[in-house]
Amino acid sequence: MTTAGRLDLRTLDDGGQRADDVGGDIAAWIAGAHRTLDLALYDVRIPGPVGDDIAASIEAARARGVRVRIAIHDPEREPTRPTTTPPQTRPDLLAETGADVRLIDGRGDLMHHKFAVRDGAALWCGSTNWTLDSWTREENVIVTVVSQPVAQAYERTFQELWSRRHIEDTGAFEAPVARVGAALVRPWFCPGRGRELAHRIATRIDRARHRVRIASPVLTSAPVLAALAEVLHDGRVSATGVVDLTQTEGALAQWRANDQVRWKAPVLEEVLAGLDFHGKRSRPYAPDTPHDFMHAKISVVDDAVFVGSYNLSRSGEDNAENVLEIDDRILADRVAAWIDEVRERYPDAR
């Protein structure tokens, strides 16, 4: 097991940073590419000077001989779930950078990744779409990793998407654990291992000894809900979190109207109330309004952090998603404190 590498995690807050700061960091990260740059992005929408700077960094990479490929969710394939924000990516604008652009068919689900791999050795990932609102109006997380084993797992998933042009069965492999600095890091991918990922998170919650902290737009995964219900009734660990209240209420309304899943509504309500979850009342989605969702997808269970593009939802298991499972006490302490800070900004979710 390699011990080389570096992992950095950055949190974004509603109104807490400028778009050109985040965009400038992305442009600088792209500037480090020497051979290859592969991007899998759900939503790209960066008008104005910030987008121009990122486009220029891609064009400069192409000019120095870097192979640049961008896989995006096919914007003609709108999400089938009413609570999902559709992407507004313009493939023609991406192609103007000289990158090779490929549309990925979700076949009813989403190519929901937000990651980039540089030279098969460095990774940019997290919950953050490449949009101005994602960088300025939403709670989000960005992770950068320098680790060949981790980056190569993502490269393998990217290549599956690129060659197949659809998300079905991508990521259906067990990625190895890598030591990155002081952390142990394991990548997970959906839909190939979506069920296993949900049960992995649920199992760690069920076995938690002192804390569980969750930030997720929605909380609809049956295994995770069941594990949280057990934590609530046992009362053995400190557990709480924050959701997007608007999206959560939308999910509850759908469940109540569907006999097959109606049973989940009282379980979720009990968990949210009993564990004192709080919720951000974001604006309902509309194309021309600010998107200010509580968009972070990150959980802390004892000294483990799960972070990526995956909502703690049943639908997330079927989308193309990615998660890093990171065992690192210092990082877990920092993330848990941030989730508590976000939670305190918003009212209770009951």
Side-chain angles (χ1 to χ4, degrees):
M1 182 182 295
T2 180
T3 60
R6 177 183 176 89
L7 185 150
D8 293 292
L9 184 146
R10 177 182 185 180
T11 55
L12 306 182
D13 297 303
D14 186 347
Q17 57 287 311
R18 302 182 307 165
D20 51 354
D21 290 335
V22 180
D25 288 346
I26 290 175
W29 190 88
I30 291 171
H34 299 290
R35 296 180 291 101
T36 62
L37 181 66
D38 290 329
L39 301 90
L41 302 172
Y42 176 65
D43 197 5
V44 183
R45 191 173 62 256
I46 321 169
V50 179
D52 293 342
D53 288 346
I54 292 176
S57 70
I58 294 174
E59 291 165 3
R62 289 277 298 123
R64 62 179 179 269
V66 176
R67 184 198 67 191
V68 182
R69 301 184 294 179
I70 306 177
I72 61 171
H73 180 88
D74 186 345
E76 297 299 317
R77 301 281 189 173
E78 292 217 359
T80 57
R81 301 177 187 92
T83 58
T84 301
T85 303
Q88 298 181 30
T89 310
R90 289 275 304 276
D92 56 323
L93 294 181
L94 294 179
E96 288 179 5
T97 66
D100 191 359
V101 179
R102 190 160 290 184
L103 309 184
I104 308 300
D105 186 355
R107 298 190 174 183
D109 296 300
L110 307 179
M111 202 300 292
H112 200 238
H113 289 302
K114 309 100 168 46
F115 74 78
V117 182
R118 188 182 69 194
D119 297 334
L123 171 70
W124 186 103
C125 66
S127 64
T128 312
N129 287 307
W130 286 29
T131 73
L132 298 183
D133 284 347
S134 292
W135 302 343
T136 61
R137 298 304 310 274
E138 300 175 359
E139 287 79 13
N140 266 309
V141 182
I142 296 171
V143 183
T144 56
V145 184
V146 178
S147 166
Q148 192 170 65
V150 173
Q152 287 182 348
Y154 277 76
E155 187 67 36
R156 177 174 172 178
T157 298
F158 181 90
Q159 189 58 48
E160 290 176 348
L161 290 165
W162 191 259
S163 60
R164 299 177 189 181
R165 298 176 183 256
H166 60 78
I167 72 168
E168 190 174 354
D169 295 329
T170 57
F173 61 92
E174 185 172 355
V177 177
R179 183 172 290 280
V180 183
L184 292 176
V185 180
R186 173 183 288 177
W188 293 83
F189 302 98
C190 307
R193 302 202 72 211
R195 303 293 185 273
E196 290 89 344
L197 173 60
H199 284 281
R200 174 67 172 179
I201 296 172
T203 297
R204 294 203 72 157
I205 290 173
D206 187 59
R207 296 176 180 174
R209 296 186 175 184
H210 69 279
R211 68 177 169 197
V212 176
R213 294 291 185 273
I214 291 173
S216 180
V218 294
L219 186 55
T220 61
S221 164
V224 173
L225 273 178
L228 288 172
E230 286 292 328
V231 168
L232 169 62
H233 289 293
D234 287 349
R236 66 185 187 276
V237 300
S238 170
T240 191
V242 60
V243 296
D244 186 285
L245 193 56
T246 303
Q247 295 183 48
T248 295
E249 288 176 346
L252 285 167
Q254 291 176 50
W255 288 349
R256 294 187 184 109
N258 186 334
D259 289 340
Q260 292 183 333
V261 293
R262 187 175 296 173
W263 64 269
K264 293 176 74 174
V267 178
L268 175 57
E269 290 172 327
E270 181 184 34
V271 164
L272 293 176
L275 296 181
D276 196 20
F277 269 68
H278 288 197
K280 180 180 185 180
R281 188 166 293 284
S282 63
R283 291 173 175 83
Y285 168 74
D288 298 323
T289 62
H291 301 165
D292 60 352
F293 318 120
M294 203 305 295
H295 198 256
K297 307 151 196 312
I298 189 165
S299 303
V300 176
V301 184
D302 290 339
D303 294 339
V305 176
F306 292 88
V307 58
S309 66
Y310 167 71
N311 294 308
L312 293 177
S313 68
R314 174 65 179 83
S315 59
E317 298 171 18
D318 296 325
N319 294 336
E321 311 275 10
N322 67 92
V323 167
L324 291 176
E325 178 182 354
I326 307 167
D327 281 280
D328 184 308
R329 181 181 59 79
I330 293 174
L331 180 65
D333 288 346
R334 181 160 71 89
V335 171
W338 179 74
I339 294 174
D340 286 342
E341 290 171 6
V342 174
R343 174 182 170 277
E344 286 304 313
R345 294 176 199 149
Y346 303 114
D348 67 61
R350 71 188 74 189

